[in-house]
Amino acid sequence: MKVIDRPGQLLIGGRWIDPTTGTWFDTINPFTGKAWGTVARAGIADVERAVSAAHEAFHAAKWRGITASARGALLVRLGELIAANAVELARIESQDNGKLIAEMSAQLGYIPEWFRYFGGLADKIEGRVLPIDKPSTFAYTREEPLGVIGVITPWNSPLLLAAWKLAPALAAGNTIVWKPSEFSSASALAFGQLFEEAGFPPGVVNIVTGFGNEIGDALVDHRQISKVAFTGGDATGQRIYQRAAEQIKPVTLELGGKSANIVFSDSNLDHALNGVISGIFAATGQTCIAGSRALVQRDVYEGFVTRLVDFARQARLGDPLDPQTQVGPVTTEQQLRKILDYIDIGRAEGARCVLGGARPVRPECGDGWFVEPTIFTDVAPSMRIAQEEIFGPVLSVIPFEDEEDAVRIANGTMFGLAAGIWTSNIRRALTLPTRLEAGTVWVNTYRAVSYLAPFGGYKRSGLGRESGQAAIHEYLQTKTVWIDTSETFGNPFIIR
Ligand code: NAD
């Protein structure tokens, strides 16, 4: 597999081509702050070309005419190729977005499962014969693909979040135009080389790299895009939803979160400690499911905070390509500034910064875009640092009295992506998940995902679900077919 050892190109209609704009941009390694590759800066004409290629491929016999089993086999083959190239793809991702090689290797090792699973589902999509209540009538349903899917992904887990969309969408028989984040396009371009090798017909998957504010609207608005599948920020998601509404175009939106990790005093506090750390400092807090609010029961609050601070203080910052590193840089310079601004906001609001709160000055961090693991106490639930998504290694710790209090605080934001509960009480473990407004609730674990488990947001955290059997239906539409076999035709002026 060739990495971007040349200026990146666009994958359109099965060919690698230069952008019509004739321009490229640098992709930066967040650990060094220096460019390490060049990515094509697609323009609106390139979006047009990519959508046309995907539209043509959707109707071509090479794709439309193959059996569902053959389509599934292509996905399984793609999964095998990803597995064979996982080490290289993980290294590219780590270099491009600064996330730990250990984390990206785990993700890349797991991504093939989405292609195997949805490849297996491709020929289990069934219509139904309806026991229709009309004489001499045969009626059945078909589950049909939507057409061309516009896939738009963020920088934090570039290939994993793309796989969550590509695998079910392709299994359902759609074709794709994929716009990866401008901050993490390199792995998409490397991954793009595997589609041809897996045997996908040209044009089934097209990749346009470039800036969201330059080509995003053109992709979303295109009449031949049948659906937009998006993961990213709240404001972008809202804009996409509004524009898609102009054409009554369906969307899947996976947006942000402000997830509560709720620690009860009856829990195994060692596990809870690890869970809270994993929730906010893994991936440098740059994950939509970050447990950015730790709700800790009052009677263990002081001791728990002391242990939390001690644990987080010892986290090893450094080169994300070093397998020993525990906290890497953040992905973009804008993100670094945004996180530091939120730390200032927290202080100004009266929260107490008990750990971190600045850019580290340490030799192992070099010129990288690092933020010290940061913990705030004395946080009131209404403060901005407890309400808004920071997307960095900043934890707000909030005490609570009892279950009622915990539920009220946990549900008291506009988000609803995930929540964690730490308890040894079986009644609580069974009843509390039903009261939390979140698409995923983890009890005595955190940050677990699977191709088998539906994932998505309540409230402002999104629309639709990814992974699990139901996800394939996000990319299908139901057609009902009526066949009348009667010899006569009734009164044409009344409903049949
Ligand atoms: P972002 O919204 O800035 O960008 C996401 C993608 O949208 C990028 O590819 C970008 O180029 C594109 N984009 C930007 N403007 C666009 C426009 N006008 N039209 C169409 N596309 C446009 O988000 P980000 O900063 O890359 O990612 C971080 C955000 O993603 C966080 O808020 C995080 O919570 C969220 N996220 C959510 C999940 C989830 O599954 N819920 C997972 C990961 C990240």
Side-chain angles (χ1 to χ4, degrees), residues 4-130:
I4 48 167
D5 53 359
R6 52 180 159 71
Q9 290 180 303
L10 309 172
L11 177 60
I12 296 181
R15 291 192 307 126
W16 291 95
I17 54 178
D18 288 347
T20 50
T21 58
T23 55
W24 281 259
F25 62 97
D26 287 338
T27 190
I28 315 280
N29 177 338
F31 179 59
T32 61
K34 296 195 173 53
W36 75 283
T38 315
V39 175
R41 185 170 189 156
I44 290 172
D46 298 306
V47 170
E48 184 61 48
R49 288 197 295 177
V51 178
S52 291
H55 188 252
E56 205 176 300
F58 179 70
H59 292 285
K62 275 187 181 164
W63 182 243
R64 206 58 196 269
I66 65 172
T67 63
S69 302
R71 208 165 60 230
L74 289 175
L75 271 104
V76 172
R77 172 86 186 113
L78 181 64
E80 284 163 5
L81 289 172
I82 297 167
N85 290 281
V87 171
E88 185 58 12
L89 288 167
R91 195 190 59 75
I92 295 170
E93 295 228 297
S94 185
Q95 198 162 340
D96 213 21
N97 75 358
K99 281 176 79 171
L100 303 184
I101 189 70
E103 165 86 2
M104 296 336 274
S105 300
Q107 288 192 11
L108 262 299
Y110 201 20
I111 286 172
E113 297 299 344
W114 271 265
F115 290 95
R116 291 186 190 120
Y117 177 75
F118 285 102
L121 268 186
D123 59 6
K124 280 124 203 124
I125 303 166
E126 294 174 345
R128 303 174 66 192
V129 174
L130 305 175

Side-chain angles (χ1 to χ4, degrees), residues 343-359:
I343 291 172
D344 289 344
I345 290 168
R347 287 197 170 105
E349 284 179 309
R352 197 152 62 94
C353 185
V354 293
L355 183 72
R359 267 187 97 160

Side-chain angles (χ1 to χ4, degrees), residues 379-466:
V379 178
S382 58
M383 286 180 182
R384 284 184 64 190
I385 56 165
Q387 288 290 326
E388 297 172 20
E389 185 181 50
I390 300 174
F391 221 60
V394 181
L395 177 68
S396 292
V397 194
I398 304 171
F400 70 89
E401 306 300 334
D402 54 21
E403 257 180 38
E404 288 308 311
D405 203 23
V407 168
R408 184 182 53 77
I409 299 169
N411 288 344
T413 77
M414 65 179 185
F415 296 110
L417 194 58
I421 301 170
W422 300 88
T423 184
S424 302
N425 179 323
I426 183 71
R427 181 200 58 78
R428 190 170 272 156
L430 286 168
T431 58
L432 214 52
T434 63
R435 302 187 59 197
L436 293 175
E437 294 163 357
T440 295
V441 178
W442 291 291
V443 180
N444 296 333
T445 184
Y446 204 84
R447 256 188 120 229
V449 293
S450 167
Y451 52 95
L452 295 163
F455 179 87
Y458 275 30
K459 301 198 287 192
R460 187 109 189 182
S461 289
L463 281 179
R465 290 292 176 271
E466 299 194 303

Side-chain angles (χ1 to χ4, degrees), residues 153 155-156 179 182 216 230-233 236 254-256 288 389 391:
T153 47
W155 41 258
N156 59 330
K179 197 208 87 59
E182 51 271 45
F230 171 79
T231 296
T236 317
E254 300 287 1
L255 308 178
C288 51
E389 185 181 50
F391 221 60

